C-alpha cells in the first residue's frame, strides 16, 4: 500500500487519533481547566445516545422481521449465547491466573471511607429489571437497553409472520438505513467531540492513575492489551483463518478508538456495525448480535469484576483461593457483564452486586467504584470490539469455515 491508499483507507481513524492526542495534551497541560471543553464532548455523546435507542430497535426488529427462516434465527441466538459464555469463561480463567500470580492489593493500603448503606439488590430483582420494564415509555431510555432488545426481538418476530418483503419489514429496513446514515453524519463531529471529551477526562481524573491503585492498573491494562491482540487473534482465526484475522484488525480501528474515548459500548455500536459490515459479517447476524452484545457480551467487565473481587479480598486480608471461591467469582463476573447497561457508569450496578452478593461491607463500595472508573476505557474497548469478534465466530458456526472467501 502506498501513502495515498493508506490515507484513503485510514484517514478517519488517523484524524480521530490525532484529535484525541491533542485533547490528551491539552488535558495534561491545563489540568482541571480543560474541563471547560467538556460540553463539546457532551454534545457528541448526547447525539450518539439520542440516535442509538431507535437504531437498536430498528436494526434488531428489521433483521428479525425480514428473516422468514426462524430456524436461522434460533441458530444465531443459540450460537450467540454459547459464544458469549465461552469467551466470558476464558476471560475469567485468564484473570484468575494473573491475579493469583500478581495479587493486585498486595502491599496496598487504602483508607476506607464510610458510605451510606447500599440499596439491597436481590438476584431475582436484577433478572427481572435487566430484561423488562413496567411501562412502554421506559423502553425509550438508553438505561434500559436489554428490555428494548427483548421487545425488538419479539416485535421483529411478529413482523416475520406476515411473510417476506411485507410492508412493515420493508419499512423497518428502510428506517434502519436512515438511522445508519444519521450516525454517519454525527460521526463527522467525532474528532472535535472526542478530542474535547478526552481533554476533559485527562484534565479531571488523570492524576488518580498515580495513586494507590497503580498496581491494579498495571495488571489490568497490559492484560487487556494481551487479550485484545492474542485472544481476539485466536477467536478470529477460528472464525475464518488468516483472512479473518487480517480483516478484523484492519477494520476494528474506529470502534477501538471510539470505545476508549467514549467509554461506552452503546456509543460504539454504530461504528461497530459499520466495521462488521466491512469485515463481511452477514446483515442478519451483525444486526442481531452487536446490539445484544453491547449489553450482554462484556469480557472486559468479566476481567475487571474478578480484579475488583481479588482486590477486595486483599484489602480485607482474606485469601482469594479455592475452587468454590473461583466458581462464585466467575458466576458473579459473568452476571455483572449481563446486567451492565452499556453506558458510562453502568458498572456501578455490577459493583453493588459484588459488594452485596459476596458479603463485603458497604465500605468496600467506594474502593471498587474507583477501580471501576480507572479500568473503564480498556474494559469498554474489550467489551465493544469483542462483540464484532463474537459476530464473526457465530458467522463461522452458521455459515461454515469458508465464509470469509465469499465476502
Amino acid at each position: 500500500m502506498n501513502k495515498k491508499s493508506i490515507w484513503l483507507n485510514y484517514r478517519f481513524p488517523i484524524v480521530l487519533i490525532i484529535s484525541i492526542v491533542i485533547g490528551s495534551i491539552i488535558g495534561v497541560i491545563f489540568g482541571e481547566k480543560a474541563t471547560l471543553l467538556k460540553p463539546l464532548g457532551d454534545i457528541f455523546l448526547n447525539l450518539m445516545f439520542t440516535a442509538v435507542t431507535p437504531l437498536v430497535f430498528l436494526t434488531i426488529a428489521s433483521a428479525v422481521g425480514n428473516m422468514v427462516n426462524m430456524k436461522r434465527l434460533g441458530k444465531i441466538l443459540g450460537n450467540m449465547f454459547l459464544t458469549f459464555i465461552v469467551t466470558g469463561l476464558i476471560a475469567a480463567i485468564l484473570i484468575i491466573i494473573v491475579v493469583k500470580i500478581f495479587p493486585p492489593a498486595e502491599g496496598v493500603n487504602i483508607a476506607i471511607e464510610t458510605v451510606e448503606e447500599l440499596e439491597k439488590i436481590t438476584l431475582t430483582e436484577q433478572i427481572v429489571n435487566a430484561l423488562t420494564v413496567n411501562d412502554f415509555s421506559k423502553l425509550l431510555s438508553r438505561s434500559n437497553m436489554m428490555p428494548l432488545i427483548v421487545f425488538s426481538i419479539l416485535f421483529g418476530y411478529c413482523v416475520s409472520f406476515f411473510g417476506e418483503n411485507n410492508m412493515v419489514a420493508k419499512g423497518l429496513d428502510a428506517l434502519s438505513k436512515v438511522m445508519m446514515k444519521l450516525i454517519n453524519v454525527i460521526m463527522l463531529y467525532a474528532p472535535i467531540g472526542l478530542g474535547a471529551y478526552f481533554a476533559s477526562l485527562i484534565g479531571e481524573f488523570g492524576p488518580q492513575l498515580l495513586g494507590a491503585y497503580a498496581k491494579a492498573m498495571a495488571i489490568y491494562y497490559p492484560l487487556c492489551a494481551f487479550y485484545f491482540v492474542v485472544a481476539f487473534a485466536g477467536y478470529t482465526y477460528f472464525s475464518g483463518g488468516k483472512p479473518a484475522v487480517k480483516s478484523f484488525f484492519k477494520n476494528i480501528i474506529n470502534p477501538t478508538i471510539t470505545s476508549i474515548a467514549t467509554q461506552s459500548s452503546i456509543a460504539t455500536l454504530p461504528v461497530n456495525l459499520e466495521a462488521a459490515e466491512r469485515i463481511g459479517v452477514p446483515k442478519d447476524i451483525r444486526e442481531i448480535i452487536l446490539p445484544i452484545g453491547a449489553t450482554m457480551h462484556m469480557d472486559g467487565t468479566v476481567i475487571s469484576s474478578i480484579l475488583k473481587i481479588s482486590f477486595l479480598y486483599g484489602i480485607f486480608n482474606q485469601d482469594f483461593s479455592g475452587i468454590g471461591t473461583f466458581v462464585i467469582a466467575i458466576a458473579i463476573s459473568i452476571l455483572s457483564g449481563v446486567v451492565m447497561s452499556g453506558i458510562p457508569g453502568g458498572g456501578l450496578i455490577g459493583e453493588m452486586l459484588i459488594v452485596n452478593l459476596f458479603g463485603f461491607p458497604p465500605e468496600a463500595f467506594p474502593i471498587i467504584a474507583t477501580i471501576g472508573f480507572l479500568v473503564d476505557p480498556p474494559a469498554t474497548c474489550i467489551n465493544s470490539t469483542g462483540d464484532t469478534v463474537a459476530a464473526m465466530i457465530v458467522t463461522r458456526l452458521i455459515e461454515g469455515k469458508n465464509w470469509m472467501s465469499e465476502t
Side-chain angles (χ1 to χ4, degrees):
M1 298 178 65
N2 54 41
K3 293 181 178 179
K4 183 177 180 180
S5 63
I6 292 176
W7 171 249
L8 291 175
N9 288 322
Y10 296 101
R11 61 184 180 275
F12 189 72
I14 289 174
V15 171
L16 280 183
I17 292 174
I18 292 174
S19 66
I20 290 174
V21 169
I22 293 174
S24 300
I25 294 173
I26 292 174
V28 171
I29 294 176
F30 292 96
E32 291 191 3
K33 293 181 180 179
T35 57
L36 293 174
L37 297 175
K38 190 174 184 294
L40 296 177
D42 288 339
I43 290 174
F44 173 71
L45 286 184
N46 289 343
L47 288 171
M48 292 293 282
F49 285 138
T50 302
V52 80
T53 299
L55 176 68
V56 168
F57 169 73
L58 290 170
T59 53
I60 294 180
S62 173
V64 177
N66 285 281
M67 187 181 296
V68 179
N69 187 352
M70 287 295 104
K71 288 185 178 180
R72 181 175 173 85
L73 175 61
K75 287 183 178 179
I76 291 175
L77 294 177
N79 285 295
M80 177 193 72
F81 285 114
L82 176 63
T83 300
F84 288 0
I85 293 172
V86 171
T87 57
L89 285 173
I90 292 173
I93 293 172
L94 177 62
I95 181 62
I96 285 176
I97 294 173
V98 172
V99 297
K100 288 300 294 181
I101 298 174
F102 306 103
E106 187 176 45
V108 176
N109 295 313
I110 298 177
I112 300 176
E113 299 179 4
T114 302
V115 297
E116 296 181 1
E117 185 177 354
L118 297 174
E119 180 183 355
K120 298 296 182 182
I121 302 175
T122 66
L123 179 59
T124 53
E125 288 175 339
Q126 277 301 320
I127 293 174
V128 171
N129 294 336
L131 298 178
T132 60
V133 291
N134 58 10
D135 190 273
F136 177 80
S137 63
K138 294 181 180 179
L139 290 175
L140 305 179
S141 171
R142 60 182 170 85
S143 62
N144 295 315
M145 294 306 297
M146 270 308 300
L148 175 63
I149 288 171
V150 172
F151 179 84
S152 302
I153 293 175
L154 293 175
F155 185 87
Y157 179 74
C158 293
V159 170
S160 69
F161 270 96
F162 292 91
E164 190 175 5
N165 295 323
N166 66 76
M167 293 302 296
V168 178
K170 288 183 178 179
L172 289 172
D173 184 58
L175 287 172
S176 68
K177 292 178 181 179
V178 172
M179 287 305 304
M180 287 304 300
K181 182 61 178 178
L182 175 61
I183 295 299
N184 290 335
V185 173
I186 294 174
M187 286 302 293
L188 295 176
Y189 178 69
I192 296 175
L194 294 183
Y197 196 76
F198 224 72
S200 175
L201 286 177
I202 296 296
E204 185 175 359
F205 298 107
Q208 292 188 20
L209 293 173
L210 303 178
Y213 300 93
K215 185 175 181 180
M217 298 308 101
I219 293 173
Y220 189 80
Y221 276 68
L223 180 59
C224 283
F226 174 84
Y227 193 84
F228 182 88
V229 174
V230 178
F232 283 179
Y235 296 153
T236 52
Y237 183 84
F238 168 80
S239 74
K242 291 182 180 179
V245 178
K246 182 178 179 180
S247 182
F248 171 76
F249 284 105
K250 176 183 178 181
N251 292 290
I252 207 63
I253 299 175
N254 282 358
T256 301
I257 295 172
T258 304
S259 63
I260 292 175
T262 64
Q263 300 177 48
S264 170
S265 299
I266 296 299
T268 310
L269 175 58
V271 194
N272 249 344
L273 286 167
E274 292 180 350
E277 181 179 7
R278 290 194 298 269
I279 291 171
V281 176
K283 185 176 186 293
D284 56 352
I285 294 179
R286 67 175 182 263
E287 291 189 354
I288 291 174
I289 290 179
L290 292 181
I292 295 176
T295 304
M296 290 187 63
H297 182 229
M298 299 193 171
D299 291 349
T301 300
V302 171
I303 296 173
S304 66
S305 294
I306 292 182
L307 177 73
K308 295 168 188 175
I309 294 170
S310 64
F311 194 86
L312 289 180
Y313 264 76
I315 291 297
F316 290 99
N317 298 314
Q318 299 181 34
D319 184 23
F320 183 62
S321 63
I323 299 298
T325 301
F326 295 154
V327 169
I328 295 174
I330 291 173
I332 291 178
S333 66
I334 294 178
L335 178 62
S336 297
V338 171
V339 301
M340 293 301 97
S341 61
I343 60 173
L348 293 176
I349 299 175
E351 288 153 7
M352 286 190 286
L353 276 175
I354 290 173
V355 171
N356 283 278
L357 298 181
F358 243 102
F360 290 111
E363 290 81 6
F365 180 70
I367 298 175
I368 56 173
T370 302
I371 294 178
F373 171 78
L374 295 175
V375 303
D376 206 20
T380 305
C381 176
I382 297 298
N383 292 340
S384 300
T385 55
D387 296 338
T388 304
V389 174
M392 295 174 69
I393 293 174
V394 172
T395 303
R396 187 253 192 264
L397 294 175
I398 294 177
E399 303 288 349
K401 63 181 179 181
N402 296 321
W403 68 276
M404 280 296 300
S405 61
E406 300 173 0
T407 60

